[in-house]
Amino acid sequence: MLRVFGQAFRTPDLRTKILFTMSMIGIYRIGSYVPTPGVDYPAVQDCLEAVKGDSLYALINLFSGGALLQLSIFALGIMPYITASIILQLLTVVIPRLETLKKEGQAGTVKITQYTRYLTVGLAILQSTGIIALARSGQLLQGCPTPIIPDNSIQMTFTMIAIMTAGTAVIMWLGELITDRGIGNGMSLMIFTSIIAGFPGQLSNIYASRGAWTILVVLVVGLAVVAFVVLIEQAQRRIPVQYAKRMVGRRQYGGSSTYIPIKVNQAGVIPVIFASSMLYLPVLFVTLSNNTGVVNTWVQTHLVRGSGAWYAALFFLLTIFFTYFYVAITFNSDDIADNMKKYGGFIPGIRAGRPTAEYLDYVLTRLTAVGSVYLAAIAVIPIVVFASFGQGQNFLFGGTSILIMVGVGLDTVKQIESQLQQRSYEGFLR
């Protein structure tokens, strides 16, 4: 594999793409440490040492590479773009205009991408306003002994909102540059970089609190989890499809056989993000309301991440629910069956048309049952470890992070391999 890496760097155009990708990622990481004007950076560092982070905003902080709690110019990270993309994808099913654009090919995709950019900027304005308000009230870093934003003027507030929003736009631009001129999907690589950026600090915390043997155990278990995730992410059910022969003029078309690949994890990591967001909303509402009623106390006790069995059970069930929900709106078996019928395709033993759609739904439902349980199990691993050993927040190989890392890693390796194979190289594995 190291020899093939060397071959990749000896190929001029591939080397240029890899170096360009690395330089864009370097700019992204530098921006994650540049403080926003108006923020008392030494006070932020003291607060981070005092409270050791805040699990309430763990998901957003994860996607920003730790920039959120440091209130840097890239504090929002790629989260507004992810949210905007998910919203547009869901609205495509509801709004006929967006569904029409999606079917128009490249022109429609460009238009939807433009809408996603506009929505990203709008969400960035809203999220930056909320984060600044939480930082000033002391709820972003709870238990912080000193104020981290000393200047409360309107002018400084607008300046901070504008800079954080501009930071999100720059991240979006860097991601698109990587997609166009580099290797892999730029947005995915940004998230991947943000996640692995926290690994050295987490390993250091484990070593300081538990010792070297705990790190060894975590790495061994982590490798096993990674192997299991790779196995499931690559697993797919291949439904054979046969195309009948047909004559168009004097030429004969069809007569070939192919297959429809349906992955076990058809939904990706989106259901886990949905489930985390749903459990985050009541805690955020209670935190902002500052009430001390019975319901608020119960929410603070049982629905905070890592709080115990209630959170783990609800997280598990919501992940399963959102897996079925997301697969149902993204995989349209009726359209696939209609397209197959239009071009003379059929599944052996299944009639074309409605019976084909019902068969695809039947297969998809069974695969989603396995995929949803797999997603839910991976998602609750850090919570179970935290409840058992008190180290859930430091468990590196579990939850959303491992799903994103493996998915992005596999996709990037496939793109590099495809370019190497165009030049008659063997790829990473023989």
Side-chain angles (χ1 to χ4, degrees), residues 72-84:
S72 70
I73 60 174
F74 288 171
L76 300 180
I78 204 67
M79 199 64 180
Y81 183 85
I82 297 174
T83 307

Side-chain angles (χ1 to χ4, degrees), residues 47 51 54 57 131-149 287:
C47 292
V51 302
D54 187 3
Y57 308 99
I131 289 172
I132 292 171
L134 289 171
R136 282 180 173 162
S137 64
Q139 294 176 357
L140 184 66
L141 288 168
Q142 296 179 354
C144 185
T146 56
I148 57 180
I149 304 179
T287 303

Side-chain angles (χ1 to χ4, degrees), residues 362-389:
Y362 171 71
V363 173
L364 185 64
T365 301
R366 293 195 302 169
L367 286 178
T368 305
V370 178
S372 62
V373 173
Y374 148 77
L375 271 181
I378 294 296
V380 300
I381 282 179
I383 303 170
V384 174
V385 173
F386 178 79
S388 302
F389 305 103

Side-chain angles (χ1 to χ4, degrees), residues 287-358:
T287 303
L288 295 177
S289 64
N290 290 324
N291 293 327
T292 57
V294 177
V295 176
N296 293 6
T297 303
W298 189 89
V299 169
Q300 291 280 15
T301 305
H302 297 286
L303 293 187
V304 175
R305 180 177 176 82
S307 57
W310 272 101
Y311 183 91
L314 289 174
F315 196 17
F316 190 92
L317 295 176
L318 283 174
T319 302
I320 292 177
F321 168 77
F322 281 117
T323 302
Y324 275 96
F325 172 76
Y326 190 75
V327 169
I329 66 175
T330 55
F331 188 93
N332 194 325
S333 57
D334 291 330
D335 287 349
I336 294 176
D338 291 341
N339 290 332
M340 289 171 54
K341 186 177 181 179
K342 184 187 301 182
Y343 295 103
F346 62 93
I347 299 174
I350 307 295
R351 293 182 61 184
R354 186 63 187 170
T356 298
E358 293 176 351

Side-chain angles (χ1 to χ4, degrees), residues 42 102 138 141-143 155 158 169 188 215 227 231 239 261 279 316 324 335 347 356 411 417:
K102 186 178 180 180
L141 288 168
Q142 296 179 354
Q155 180 180 359
F158 279 121
S188 300
I215 291 182
L231 176 66
I239 299 178
L279 289 175
F316 190 92
Y324 275 96
D335 287 349
I347 299 174
T356 298
D411 180 65
E417 276 193 326

Side-chain angles (χ1 to χ4, degrees), residues 192-215:
F192 179 86
T193 304
S194 299
I195 293 172
I196 64 173
F199 272 35
Q202 293 180 358
L203 287 173
S204 176
N205 291 338
I206 294 176
Y207 178 78
S209 60
R210 294 280 178 166
W213 282 106
T214 304
I215 291 182

